[in-house]
Amino acid sequence: MKSLLDRHLPKIVVAPSFAAVLFFVYGFIGWTVYVSFTKSRILPKYELVGWLQYEKLFATPRWYVALDNLFVFMVLFVAIAIMIGLLLAILLDQKIRAEGVIRTIYLYPMALSFIVTGTAWKWLLNPGLGIEKVVRDWGFPDFKFDWLIDPEMAIYTVVMAGVWQSSGFVMALFLAGLRSINEEIIRAALVDGVGPFRLYFHVIIPSLRPVFVSAVIVLTHLAIKSFDLIIALTHGGPGYATDMPATFMYAMAFSRGQLGQAAASATVMLATVSAVIVPYLYSELRRKA
Amino acid sequence: MTSGQADTRAGLMRSTPLRSAPLRRAGRPWTATLLRGLLFLILGLFVLYFTLPLFVMIVTSLKSLEEIRQGSLLGLPQEIELTSWATAWGSACIGVSCHGLRPYFWNSILLVVPAVVISTAIGAINGYALSKWRFPGSDVIFGLMLFGCFVPFQVILLPMAITLGKIGMAGSVSGLILVHVVYGIGFTTLFFRNYYVAVPDELVKAAKIDGAGFLAIFTQIFLPLSIPVMVVTVIWQFTNIWNDFLFGVSFSQGGSQPITVALNNIVNSTTGVKEYNVDMAAAIIAALPTLLVYVVAGKYFIRGLTAGSVKG
């Protein structure tokens, strides 16, 4: 009796978590996808109407603004964070005495909530009292820096704050990658008389490919999910100039009473994330097995 | 995630770099000195870039509104005013209630402590079962749990709101605890599983021969080995749950809101005079617990970040 129990104990122990994940993750995904094919507005309805919600979604100008913003934000955020992260990692890898302290300083924003980061940058970018005023007081009275309230430029303030928060993390990834490069490769290149810059561009950076992949995946994922930062920094405004899919979905779900639109936009987000994550997870798990 | 990543993590933790730094070997001495100077200049500029927002927050929180309007953003306060800290903590208005951040700070504590403890405990036992007692389908289960970590939460917001309403937990701290535990299990399981995979199977075999069962081996052999991974997991969960905004704003209301939601409400309130100093003090108060954890246990924080680079 005891051995029978013992044999099944591992399954019994995992079962509640597995059931919870099946219900709260996959069941909920199923519900949302289903509702995206119904006419639900303020209350969920369960009568299927085909692609109606998606047709409506893709006829909504605000949704295109959100997609457009996501694209701009994602490309700039990922590219700039990776450039800064890589640069800092390479510079920190030059036997810097104060490396520990500097690393700690570069990475601390990652411990902050996006709401805190958004609040801080909202103040720095305050037209009238923030950076604009500092530069004006330095003797450039015509300096103008009001991106936060400029519908055309506001999305770039989100990029600025996002990069500030995340590039230290990218640095940590690259630094770890640099420290694990096989020394033999570098020694061989040096023996061959390869100069320091060629060494980096032709030997070291190419060998960091897996780190690039990780960084791109993690940052892309962060970008698609970004919600808090926008709420805190611009609240999607001015107007809905800095709306993103996540804020669009939230507005449809909780303030507009458009459950069908919320479900359809959430499903599009899920599909986008899955297209990035599934191949990555699959290859990671395969590599491990 | 992979063994390669475990190596990289070990590499990051090493205090002295492995090899001689390549740029240092750059030719003649004067170029080397020049490069070295440039190197420190760039590193220093980035130190400024990362610390300036925090510096501005702190000095702004200590200034009077009068000084904020007239003085410079970067200037030190002429007179240190602690009133905005007191206001942010005890009397700033959020909607109609004017009790500052204090009640919400406690909400966050009441939320974070049980959520972290429960999700870490579940992760430990799951990770143990899924690494050392594999059964048919256990890898599929793990894969499904792992994918759950990456799902954009927008896709579960609506059914979760409905479910919380049905089970009578809508708008309560206990409802939020449930949400954070459910969506935290994936990561906690991932952390423990990857840690236990590296423990030799012989240990389990030998204990089995001695007659120890599933639970005895877990409590007597694995738990005592787990301090490092536990620290990483607890810090990870603590930071994520404390900083969460999406679940807080979606599933709590009025008196049960966590601190991030309260902070956002203070900062983005449209009524009355804009008190920038109170906003900044409030933001620092909301950030203090996670900053403290980072300063005290930064090493483990980084380990969690890089371990979860299959994360989000």
Side-chain angles (χ1 to χ4, degrees), chain A residues 63 244-254 261-263 265-266 269, chain B residues 154-155 157-158:
Chain A
W63 174 246
M244 291 236 209
T247 52
F248 177 93
M249 184 274 161
Y250 187 84
M252 291 301 148
F254 295 102
Q261 288 294 288
S265 54
M269 288 178 68
Chain B
Q154 279 70 27
V155 88
L157 283 187
L158 287 173

Side-chain angles (χ1 to χ4, degrees), chain A residues 107 110-111, chain B residues 235-236 239 294 297-306:
Chain A
L107 198 57
M110 204 63 196
Chain B
I235 290 178
W236 173 271
T239 314
Y294 175 67
K299 192 173 81 171
Y300 295 98
F301 178 81
I302 299 171
R303 225 181 267 183
L305 275 180
T306 35

Side-chain angles (χ1 to χ4, degrees), chain A residues 104 108 111, chain B residues 288-299 301:
Chain A
T104 307
Y108 86 88
Chain B
L288 271 181
T290 49
L291 272 183
L292 194 72
V293 168
Y294 175 67
V295 170
V296 172
K299 192 173 81 171
F301 178 81

Side-chain angles (χ1 to χ4, degrees), chain B residues 75-133:
Chain B
L76 290 168
Q78 281 157 350
E79 246 176 281
I80 290 186
E81 291 243 5
L82 288 174
T83 44
S84 41
W85 281 74
T87 310
W89 177 248
S91 64
C93 291
I94 295 159
V96 285
S97 84
C98 295
H99 302 288
L101 280 180
R102 190 176 49 203
Y104 305 94
F105 192 92
W106 292 120
N107 281 346
S108 274
I109 301 260
L110 285 178
L111 158 72
V112 164
V113 173
V116 169
V117 171
I118 298 170
S119 60
T120 305
I122 295 177
I125 190 93
N126 280 347
Y128 167 66
L130 292 175
S131 61
K132 290 298 163 211
W133 298 79

